[in-house]
């Protein structure tokens, strides 16, 4: 009966929930898994979803018993589901982890205020201690202030550099051994694509790593590396998890938006495309001649840096001296935002700095 | 036909007062033997509920890829997608996966 339904041009479409779960054969199917196209019921979905993440954690040895793990929590769907699932798995499988929620308050009125409220509810709902670090406290500037000073054009450079450092600093305050983030399979596929489009080979191979920054102060890992966004949102919906969903008002990143749209179009035609793109990203291996820059520390704030001053300190210098463009033009990220003419004159500079861009726009 | 429509994941921002739940009465179309299909419902929603940026919700004649649809809490991909036929008192949920991680 079921096989005829797949080509069922003639048959009336089956009513909602009239098919049985292919796993248990008992309950009505509630969703079609993008990864496998299996039709499964809610209960089986919970089990498979959680178990796949558990397997990812175990197979990649993401954690050791006794570690303190900071969950980068934005109040959005991915980090909310991550906090929930990780605390469940920690209990069920006795990982022996001390879990914390770590949020960054960029100081964006009407956006971050609301999402922080969500994180504060999560703190109570999941019983995880919450630490909030703010741009205002760390840098003396809120994102609102920064946008007022520099306009909307390059603000994501600040946001990216500052957020990455803020998470590290917050994690250090928590004495965390690791940071976990909610980046999912769709996000990683999108980043692979963007790095190909930019010819950024260093980031291309690195962005698929499940753990990064092992040479830095605190390693970061992505337990959702193989988890589809569709399933994360379905999980949150069925479990009625409380998350916040409004785009950052300062991040009209059109280029990334197109990449995302393209990934979603591909997924509709062939859901496996997402995993395949991650796989291709993994298969690009950086050649040994491409050396990563040597790590030192920032003279001013002590953060890891390959230059005398870290990127955040350079940007802050500019802001504080009323020259907010300072430090933007000399990175790849900033050069892209500049006009074509300016870019050409900076080519030589860009070539030397392209591999040092560890303070990227994105958290990879 | 009485339907309950729910919008989430940021889609509610496209509607009047960002209201998430809408109890609506959809007049059955004259053609197609008076059946309300999902395809019909999508164009009805576009005409009657969406106040701004319809491209965040629809693409071509379907929902924008990345918008999840559930009919009575069942993934619409299991119910025939655009051809799924709705019945009195059905609950249809639309969730965008495209907003903020
Ligand atoms: Zn089942
Ligand atoms: Zn931003
Ligand atoms: Zn510094």
């Amino acid at each position: 009966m079921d096989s005829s339904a797949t080509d069922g041009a003639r048959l009336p479409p089956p009513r909602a929930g009239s098919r049985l779960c292919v796993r248990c054969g008992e309950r009505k199917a509630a969703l079609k898994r993008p990864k496998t196209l299996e039709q499964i019921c809610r209960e089986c979905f919970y089990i498979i979803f959680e178990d796949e993440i558990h397997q990812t954690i175990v197979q990649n040895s993401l954690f050791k018993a006794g570690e303190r793990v900071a969950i980068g929590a934005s109040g959005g769907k991915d980090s909310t589901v991550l906090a929930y699932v990780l605390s469940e798995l920690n209990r069920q499988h006795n990982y022996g982890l001390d879990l914390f929620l770590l949020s960054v308050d960029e100081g964006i009125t009407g956006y971050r205020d609301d999402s922080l409220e969500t994180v504060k509810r999560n703190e109570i709902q999941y019983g995880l201690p919450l630490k909030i670090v703010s741009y205002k406290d760390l840098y003396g500037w809120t994102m609102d202030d920064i946008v007022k000073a520099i306009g909307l054009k390059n603000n994501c450079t600040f946001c990216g550099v500052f957020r990455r450092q803020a998470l590290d600093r917050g994690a250090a305050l928590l004495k965390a051994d690791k940071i976990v983030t909610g980046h999912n399979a769709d996000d990683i596929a999108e980043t692979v694509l963007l790095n190909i489009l930019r010819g950024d080979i260093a980031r291309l191979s690195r962005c698929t790593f499940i753990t990064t920054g092992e040479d830095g102060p605190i390693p970061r890992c992505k337990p959702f590396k193989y988890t589809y966004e569709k399933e994360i949102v379905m999980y949150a919906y069925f479990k009625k998890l409380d998350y916040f969903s409004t785009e950052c008002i300062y991040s009209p990143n059109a280029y990334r938006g197109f990449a995302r749209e393209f990934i979603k179009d591909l997924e509709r035609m062939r859901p496996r495309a997402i995993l395949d793109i991650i796989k291709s990203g993994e298969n690009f291996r950086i050649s040994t001649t491409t050396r990563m820059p040597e790590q030192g520390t920032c003279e001013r704030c002590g953060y890891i840096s390959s230059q005398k001053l870290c990127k955040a300190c350079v940007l802050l210098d500019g802001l504080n001296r009323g020259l907010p463009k300072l430090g933007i033009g000399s990175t790849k990220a900033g050069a892209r935002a500049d006009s074509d003419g300016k870019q050409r004159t900076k080519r030589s500079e860009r070539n030397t700095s392209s591999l040092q861009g560890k303070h990227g726009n994105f958290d990879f | 036909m009485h339907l309950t429509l729910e919008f989430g994941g940021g889609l509610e921002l496209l509607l009047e007062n960002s209201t998430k739940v809408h109890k609506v009465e959809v007049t059955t179309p004259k053609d197609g033997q008076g059946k309300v299909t999902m395809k019909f419902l999508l164009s009805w929603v576009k005409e009657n509920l969406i106040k701004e940026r319809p491209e965040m919700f629809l693409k071509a004649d379907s929902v924008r890829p990345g918008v999840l649809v559930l009919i009575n809490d069942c993934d619409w991909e299991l119910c025939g997608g655009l051809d799924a036929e709705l019945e009195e008192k059905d609950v249809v949920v639309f969730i965008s996966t495209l907003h903020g991680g």
Side-chain angles (χ1 to χ4, degrees):
Chain A
M1 234 183 93
D2 238 359
S3 63
S4 64
T6 50
D7 62 27
R10 311 255 143 184
L11 296 170
R15 269 301 287 172
S18 62
R19 297 177 183 197
L20 288 181
C21 168
V22 298
R23 290 270 169 156
C24 64
E26 285 171 13
R27 290 174 293 258
K28 286 174 182 173
L31 84 154
K32 189 170 173 185
R33 297 199 70 199
K35 216 183 262 192
T36 61
L37 307 181
E38 289 170 297
Q39 304 167 15
I40 53 174
C41 71
R42 245 192 236 209
E43 285 76 6
C44 289
F45 170 55
Y46 295 153
I47 294 168
I48 294 169
F49 181 87
E50 291 163 16
D51 193 56
E52 279 188 4
I53 295 157
H54 172 61
Q55 292 307 329
T56 302
I57 289 171
V58 171
Q59 282 162 14
N60 295 281
S61 319
L62 292 190
F63 309 118
K64 287 199 274 293
E67 280 184 332
R68 297 166 67 86
V69 177
I71 304 166
S74 67
K77 57 186 163 47
D78 300 308
S79 58
T80 299
V81 173
L82 180 62
Y84 176 86
V85 170
L86 213 50
S87 52
E88 285 294 303
L89 292 176
N90 191 30
R91 238 190 313 269
Q92 282 170 30
H93 298 282
N94 298 312
Y95 290 167
L97 302 177
D98 273 326
L99 298 174
F100 302 86
L101 296 172
L102 172 57
S103 294
V104 176
D105 182 358
E106 296 94 339
I108 304 175
T109 315
Y111 165 71
R112 198 43 101 201
D113 314 346
D114 295 351
S115 57
L116 283 177
E117 286 313 308
T118 311
V119 184
K120 285 175 192 162
R121 286 196 300 275
N122 293 161
E123 174 182 26
I124 298 161
Q125 288 155 350
Y126 310 152
L128 301 175
L130 166 66
K131 170 90 196 156
I132 301 175
V133 287
S134 75
Y135 282 9
K136 185 79 189 166
D137 291 347
L138 291 177
Y139 310 115
W141 289 76
T142 66
M143 265 315 279
D144 286 342
D145 297 335
I146 293 172
V147 169
K148 250 179 241 150
I150 69 162
L152 279 170
K153 209 172 166 195
N154 287 307
N155 68 82
C156 267
T157 305
F158 286 89
C159 216
V161 171
F162 285 179
R163 187 182 301 125
R164 164 161 277 273
Q165 233 189 69
L167 268 185
D168 277 337
R169 294 198 185 280
L173 291 172
L174 287 168
K175 299 189 170 51
D177 301 291
K178 250 156 219 168
I179 298 171
V180 291
T181 58
H183 292 107
N184 60 45
D186 300 48
D187 296 330
I188 296 171
E190 178 188 304
T191 307
V192 168
L193 204 65
L194 280 171
N195 286 329
I196 291 173
L197 294 176
R198 292 176 180 139
D200 194 336
I201 300 300
R203 287 213 185 111
L204 175 57
S205 73
R206 206 176 29 187
C207 76
T208 62
F209 293 175
I210 195 161
T211 302
T212 53
E214 280 158 306
D215 52 340
I218 301 168
R220 294 177 177 225
C221 48
K222 306 188 270 261
F224 282 171
K225 179 181 172 188
Y226 301 108
T227 309
Y228 274 59
E229 192 155 66
K230 172 179 174 181
E231 296 200 350
I232 292 171
V233 175
M234 282 287 192
Y235 188 89
Y237 174 76
F238 287 141
K239 290 255 181 187
K240 303 210 182 323
L241 300 185
D242 179 9
Y243 70 88
F244 179 79
S245 48
T246 301
E247 206 64 76
C248 167
I249 49 174
Y250 295 142
S251 68
N253 190 332
Y255 203 55
R256 181 163 271 263
F258 282 124
R260 163 123 310 197
E261 183 115 9
F262 179 62
I263 299 270
K264 290 292 177 193
D265 284 344
L266 286 179
E267 182 190 16
R268 180 168 282 179
M269 287 180 273
R270 203 171 74 91
R272 265 206 66 87
I274 289 178
L275 287 182
D276 291 345
I277 292 172
I278 297 177
K279 188 94 200 118
S280 1
E282 286 173 339
N283 289 340
F284 281 102
R285 280 287 164 261
I286 201 162
S287 76
T288 46
T289 53
T290 328
R291 217 175 301 134
M292 304 306 263
E294 256 176 63
Q295 295 287 11
T297 51
C298 170
E299 278 181 1
R300 188 167 305 161
C301 73
Y303 190 73
I304 47 155
S305 173
S306 51
Q307 312 285 314
K308 259 167 69 175
L309 290 184
C310 76
K311 192 74 199 154
C313 285
V314 173
L315 289 172
L316 271 175
D317 245 8
L319 280 173
N320 293 328
R321 286 162 53 192
L323 302 164
K325 296 269 150 57
L326 196 71
I328 291 178
S330 63
T331 68
K332 273 197 88 202
R336 270 196 314 276
D338 277 347
S339 70
D340 254 18
K342 276 194 209 147
Q343 261 188 47
R344 224 160 287 132
T345 62
K346 286 193 177 114
R347 178 136 314 156
S348 58
E349 218 178 318
R350 276 177 61 192
N351 286 342
T352 54
S353 64
S354 66
L355 288 176
Q356 302 169 351
K358 65 180 178 302
H359 301 304
N361 259 346
F362 312 114
D363 292 338
F364 286 96
Chain B
M1 181 180 294
H2 296 86
L3 298 172
T4 302
L5 309 181
E6 221 180 292
F7 297 83
L11 285 177
E12 67 277 13
L13 302 172
L14 309 178
L15 310 176
E16 188 130 40
N17 302 324
S18 301
T19 313
K20 289 194 173 190
V21 181
H22 295 251
K23 303 228 178 244
V24 299
E25 192 178 346
V26 177
T27 5
T28 49
K30 285 161 199 77
D31 50 331
Q33 296 118 32
K35 289 195 170 82
V36 175
T37 60
M38 275 306 297
K39 190 173 179 169
F40 177 81
L41 181 68
L42 290 181
S43 60
W44 189 90
V45 168
K46 187 186 177 193
E47 293 299 308
N48 296 279
L49 294 179
I50 304 282
K51 295 286 169 215
E52 56 175 294
R53 291 177 292 158
E55 71 278 5
M56 300 294 287
F57 180 56
L58 298 171
K59 184 168 178 178
D61 62 351
S62 190
V63 292
R64 184 178 171 193
V67 173
L68 305 181
V69 184
L70 296 104
I71 303 170
N72 300 325
D73 272 356
C74 176
D75 188 351
W76 79 326
E77 291 183 42
L78 300 181
C79 316
L82 283 172
D83 297 324
E85 286 168 16
L86 297 170
E87 290 175 7
E88 178 69 18
K89 297 212 163 61
D90 274 351
V91 179
V92 184
V93 177
F94 301 97
I95 312 171
S96 174
T97 65
L98 303 164
H99 280 88

